[in-house]
Amino acid sequence: MTTETITPLRQRMIEDMTARKLGAHTQRSHIYSCKRFAAFLKRSPDTATLEDLRQFQLHLAETGMSICNRNRIMTGVRFLFRVTLRRLEHAAEIYHLREPEKLPLVMSADEIKRLLAVAGTLKTRVLLSLGYGCGLRASEIVRLKVKHIDSAQDIIRIEQSKGRKDRNVMLSNEMLDLLRQWWKARPSRYDAGIPPQERWLFPSRKSAGKPITTRHLNRLFHEAADAAGIKKSVTVHTLRHSFATHLLDQDTNLRKIQLLLGHEKLETTARYLHVATGMISAIESPLDRLARPNHKRPRKTQRNRKEVQPSA
């Protein structure tokens, strides 16, 4: 993040975020939030009153902005007042809304097959296979290096991903074969001077020493999805949702899936129970049971039969 021609207030906020080891993406988001607040005020945020904060939150609601984006903006503003300006009464004025719980969108096994079959290039097929076959996030896919592929143990090591956590995911024989094919075809013009283990698996063609961007990956995904005739509102992250759901359909232990996805809480992983169609369809509906010709009502047992006590 550049520090050229910035105000002392922003510089101090950047220093506070850096000292707390906030990621670059989080820092950009917080700075953007404070810039938006300043634009609303038409003056520096450090001059804001409690009423200004109230009016700004009302303004965000009136614009029809999603709850997720409203919470994200106010998180950045709260950091400014709570940490940088040390105005706790202002921070207390900021409220967050509970976000609606939505079920993850999942593709069927047939849709995944079609998606991978129409992948225009080997590069696209490898990228999408990593998302579905290993449950990786888009940011995790593009940041893979040679050193992360451990063929001896059949694992891929994900380093410092969301929440600054490491984890291991499976490396199937088919995935390893695809990666080896890609390594032979991979452009190597920017590899000079870089140790083999430190080379990006998917280097950028435009920026030396950098990997492709998640925007590039998203474009390749949507091109493949359109070619496969998938009409759902899918994204690269849908591959990760499909990975978890299809593992559940195969009776994979929920705790194992949690570790593969890198979720901190089991409750986060458990939401895939609601979309595991194989598990849901395997449950017999009471209506189907009643419709069977040989259906009989359960006989009363001595335990559930009402006891009639003789009168005295």
Side-chain angles (χ1 to χ4, degrees):
M1 185 176 293
T2 180
T3 58
E4 296 179 2
T5 62
I6 62 176
T7 64
L9 178 60
R10 185 187 299 187
Q11 177 61 37
R12 182 180 176 83
M13 184 175 177
I14 292 172
E15 292 171 353
D16 289 336
M17 292 188 292
T18 302
R20 286 158 179 78
K21 294 187 179 297
L22 299 189
H25 177 78
T26 302
Q27 292 195 29
R28 286 194 297 269
S29 177
H30 284 3
I31 292 296
Y32 166 81
S33 300
C34 294
K35 286 175 64 178
R36 182 155 186 159
F37 183 44
F40 171 80
L41 293 175
K42 296 184 174 60
R43 62 182 191 275
S44 177
D46 60 356
T47 64
T49 64
L50 295 178
E51 181 60 21
D52 289 330
L53 277 170
R54 178 179 176 275
Q55 290 298 326
F56 180 58
Q57 292 176 98
L58 289 174
H59 165 72
L60 294 180
E62 291 169 355
T63 61
M65 182 181 293
S66 69
I67 291 177
C68 178
N69 284 333
R70 286 169 61 184
N71 286 342
R72 177 177 55 81
I73 289 174
M74 296 316 299
T75 296
V77 176
R78 183 171 63 177
F79 183 93
L80 172 68
F81 285 104
R82 184 177 63 86
V83 178
T84 301
L85 294 176
R86 302 291 182 181
R87 295 181 183 174
L88 301 185
E89 72 281 3
H90 285 64
E93 183 69 18
I94 296 171
Y95 56 84
H96 279 67
L97 301 173
R98 183 173 179 176
E99 297 182 22
E101 296 183 6
K102 297 182 179 180
L103 291 179
L105 184 64
V106 173
M107 287 188 283
S108 67
D110 179 65
E111 288 172 327
I112 294 290
K113 288 179 182 178
R114 282 161 35 206
L115 182 76
L116 297 178
V118 301
T121 63
L122 174 62
K123 175 183 177 180
T124 302
R125 187 180 179 192
V126 175
L127 288 165
L128 302 187
S129 295
L130 284 166
Y132 174 69
C134 305
L136 303 188
R137 301 179 177 91
S139 59
E140 296 169 349
I141 295 173
V142 301
R143 291 191 292 110
L144 283 176
K145 292 183 177 182
V146 176
K147 65 180 180 180
H148 298 140
I149 310 301
D150 189 342
S151 57
Q153 297 188 79
D154 293 330
I155 61 172
I156 298 177
R157 181 172 176 80
I158 309 301
E159 294 184 346
Q160 295 299 286
S161 186
K162 186 176 181 180
R164 295 197 291 269
K165 293 183 293 185
D166 294 346
R167 75 178 191 279
N168 295 327
V169 298
M170 74 277 277
L171 174 61
S172 66
N173 292 332
E174 183 176 356
M175 191 71 251
L176 180 59
D177 182 58
L178 280 173
L179 287 170
R180 284 172 172 165
Q181 292 180 46
W182 167 244
W183 184 252
K184 295 177 181 178
R186 167 188 171 278
S188 57
R189 58 182 174 179
Y190 293 137
D191 288 345
I194 303 177
Q197 291 296 309
E198 295 295 329
R199 294 173 185 173
W200 300 108
L201 283 183
F202 306 100
S204 171
R205 293 180 178 271
K206 298 180 180 179
S207 305
K210 293 185 178 180
I212 63 171
T213 62
T214 53
R215 179 177 295 183
H216 183 180
L217 171 56
N218 273 290
R219 180 175 59 80
L220 294 176
F221 170 83
H222 285 294
E223 288 176 355
D226 290 341
I230 298 174
K231 303 302 182 183
K232 299 176 181 177
S233 301
V234 292
T235 65
V236 174
H237 207 72
T238 307
L239 297 173
R240 178 173 160 90
H241 293 325
S242 304
F243 162 84
T245 305
H246 294 173
L247 283 181
L248 272 176
D249 284 336
Q250 298 168 21
D251 295 327
T252 305
N253 182 273
L254 193 65
R255 170 61 176 162
K256 292 181 179 179
I257 299 175
Q258 178 193 7
L259 294 175
L260 291 171
L261 293 175
H263 287 161
E264 183 175 352
K265 297 180 180 179
L266 188 61
E267 290 81 0
T268 305
T269 314
R271 63 181 179 158
Y272 294 109
L273 291 169
H274 298 282
V275 291
T277 54
M279 296 177 62
I280 295 172
S281 61
I283 301 173
E284 183 182 31
S285 167
L287 187 63
D288 291 337
R289 190 176 181 186
L290 283 174
R292 287 205 302 261
N294 59 349
H295 173 73
K296 296 180 179 180
R297 294 181 61 184
R299 295 177 59 186
K300 289 185 177 180
T301 63
Q302 187 67 29
R303 181 174 298 177
N304 64 17
R305 187 182 297 126
K306 183 177 181 181
E307 295 288 346
V308 178
Q309 299 294 336
S311 57

